[in-house]
């Protein structure tokens, strides 16, 4: 960037962007917690609130994208500065997807009419959500602080979430086999668990973005994967 | 853009980008077809091919993103030219998600060990896939040709896909209630059907991007929604 003036203008643009991403991240975290709270407590109104609030997340993504593109066009940043802007856009894309997944959980609350309320499953889902939400929080903090080691912890920690999801799927299948009246309820929980697991995947995507911003290249290692839910459904069929 | 030279350089950059998006689109279409083919014919090797090929889709997205950002920084395009570049990035994001969803179907092929093979369901899934694949093709053509009416047809046509998905879900539930041995198989088909439906959602996202590129604003109408799969699972529970 040519002048000191441009450099200052860029810094100010970048600060705005980072602030917007942080606002969007806070909102997405809220939606994760609220959607699963709504599910656990069968709180239809809270579920609908999540569905409505997702529009705000979508709007923030559009704003971040527009600001990012304008900043690139106006300030012509190079190298590390450019990566900062691209990083903000990528994180916003992941947060938008997280919002969608929480919204889908929120939608399902209204559909849960059964009296069936297996506490062990609900606790499992809550535990998984706690883990994922803490990963989202940690990785957003790592993004804001440019803390690569913290981001890498999240990147490696996704395995545990996947393992819990797989074990939840197995249990849900058992309940379904035991009593067909549980099937409809259990399918909803399966889709919700899968959504939470996917939110965890987006947290690892954000960790990869932090790596890219700091190291200037895409991460190449294979991430450890504990997700066997594509296979878990076969077990009772054997 | 200042000079004729810059204008020409921009046009050439944009052509490169459009060509890359078209290549990525062709690949994503192929993955949709192959993944469902693999599922219907229980072709595990083809399923694995889809899983492997998704890495190519991911790679193309990164390339498109990097090229787009470099073009914005170098050529400083304004207004309609800037929207072309942002449009390419957005379409690439949707195509990357389509690849992921096809990959997830490909993964499930190896897990289908049951002998249960309900022809009516399989035909329903194939029909839904044909519709969605044709929507993806139409909207990518509309993107390449800047054909707004064609894009809007796709945008409005998603309702039929959602309705088929809902009816598939109802049938799958019936099979599951009838015989617990069908449960595992049916759950896989449910996740696959949901993935196809989501691919349809991405086709409508691309239609919205075409609208944005041509009209210079976000589409505001509410899209017609026929998706009731969040609710379909309640029916047998009533």
């Amino acid at each position: 960037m040519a002048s000191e003036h441009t450099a200052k203008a860029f810094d100010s643009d970048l600060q705005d962007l980072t602030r917007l991403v942080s606002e969007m991240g806070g909102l997405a975290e809220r939606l994760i917690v609220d959607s699963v709270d709504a599910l656990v407590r069968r709180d239809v109104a809270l579920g609908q609130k999540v569905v409505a609030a997702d529009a705000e997340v979508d709007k923030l993504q559009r704003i971040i994208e527009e600001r990012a593109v304008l900043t690139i066009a106006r300030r012509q940043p190079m190298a590390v500065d450019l990566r900062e802007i691209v990083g903000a856009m990528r994180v916003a894309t992941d947060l938008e997807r997280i919002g969608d997944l929480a919204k889908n959980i929120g939608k399902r609350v209204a559909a849960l009419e059964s009296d069936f309320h297996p506490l062990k499953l609900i606790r499992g889902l809550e535990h998984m959500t706690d883990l994922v939400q803490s990963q989202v929080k940690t990785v957003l903090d790592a993004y804001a602080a440019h803390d690569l080691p913290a981001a890498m912890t999240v990147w490696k920690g996704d395995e545990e979430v996947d393992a819990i999801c797989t074990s939840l799927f197995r249990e849900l299948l058992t309940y379904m086999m035991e009593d067909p009246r549980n099937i409809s309820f259990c399918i909803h929980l399966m889709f919700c668990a899968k959504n939470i697991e996917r939110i965890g995947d987006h947290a690892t995507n954000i960790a990869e973005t932090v790596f890219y911003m700091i190291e200037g290249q895409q991460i190449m290692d294979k991430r450890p994967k504990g997700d066997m839910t594509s296979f878990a459904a076969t077990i009772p069929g054997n």
Side-chain angles (χ1 to χ4, degrees), chain A:
Chain A
M1 269 172 285
S3 69
E4 200 185 326
H5 171 76
T6 315
K8 271 195 187 154
F10 175 81
D11 286 344
S12 158
D13 284 357
L14 185 59
Q15 272 172 23
D16 277 355
L17 263 181
T18 313
R19 191 186 46 74
L20 282 166
V21 172
S22 154
E23 186 186 334
M24 194 180 171
L27 203 53
E29 274 184 64
R30 183 82 262 141
L31 293 195
I32 301 170
V33 175
D34 284 352
S35 66
V36 176
D37 252 21
L39 191 77
V40 168
R41 297 194 280 116
R42 312 278 179 102
D43 184 337
V44 176
L46 185 58
Q48 284 164 345
K49 221 182 98 187
V50 170
V51 172
D54 179 54
E56 190 59 29
V57 176
D58 290 353
K59 201 176 119 197
L60 276 167
Q61 192 212 356
R62 289 299 185 219
I63 293 173
I64 289 166
E65 190 189 60
E66 277 165 27
R67 295 265 187 106
V69 162
L70 279 179
T71 303
I72 297 169
R74 278 187 199 144
R75 319 291 180 206
Q76 300 177 72
M78 300 305 282
V80 62
D81 288 335
L82 194 53
R83 292 204 304 273
E84 291 282 334
I85 307 284
V86 173
M89 280 199 284
R90 282 194 194 163
V91 174
T93 303
D94 281 305
L95 291 175
E96 191 270 335
R97 292 284 313 146
I98 290 175
D100 274 355
L101 292 162
K103 176 186 173 182
N104 186 268
I105 296 174
K107 265 195 201 172
R108 289 180 187 278
V109 178
L112 290 178
E113 291 175 18
S114 139
D115 285 333
F116 179 58
H117 203 89
L119 208 66
K120 197 180 159 201
L121 282 178
I122 302 286
R123 291 287 162 263
L125 193 72
E126 281 182 315
H127 177 47
M128 192 175 153
T129 308
D130 286 347
L131 267 178
V132 166
Q133 194 237 334
S134 129
Q135 283 190 316
V136 171
K137 191 185 168 355
T138 306
V139 84
L140 287 172
D141 288 348
Y143 163 77
H146 289 72
D147 182 343
L148 187 54
M152 288 302 98
T153 311
V154 171
W155 193 68
K156 286 173 191 146
D158 192 45
E159 210 173 353
E160 190 180 350
V161 172
D162 292 347
I164 298 176
C165 191
T166 303
S167 114
L168 262 178
F169 263 55
R170 283 174 213 261
E171 270 189 76
L172 281 163
L173 275 167
T174 313
Y175 283 110
M176 291 161 95
M177 312 286 281
E178 270 172 21
D179 186 345
R181 285 169 301 176
N182 297 338
I183 290 178
S184 151
F185 178 88
C186 288
I187 286 173
H188 279 300
L189 277 201
M190 270 191 179
F191 273 95
C192 291
K194 195 75 193 162
N195 284 350
I196 300 288
E197 191 227 277
R198 281 186 182 137
I199 290 174
D201 289 341
H202 287 288
T204 64
N205 286 355
I206 295 174
E208 290 180 7
T209 297
V210 175
F211 183 92
Y212 159 82
M213 282 166 56
I214 294 172
E215 296 291 324
Q217 56 192 14
Q218 311 296 340
I219 202 159
M220 281 303 166
D221 270 2
K222 276 273 176 208
R223 199 163 58 79
K225 277 299 263 181
D227 170 31
M228 295 290 288
T229 50
S230 302
F231 296 93
T234 53
I235 292 163
N238 280 341

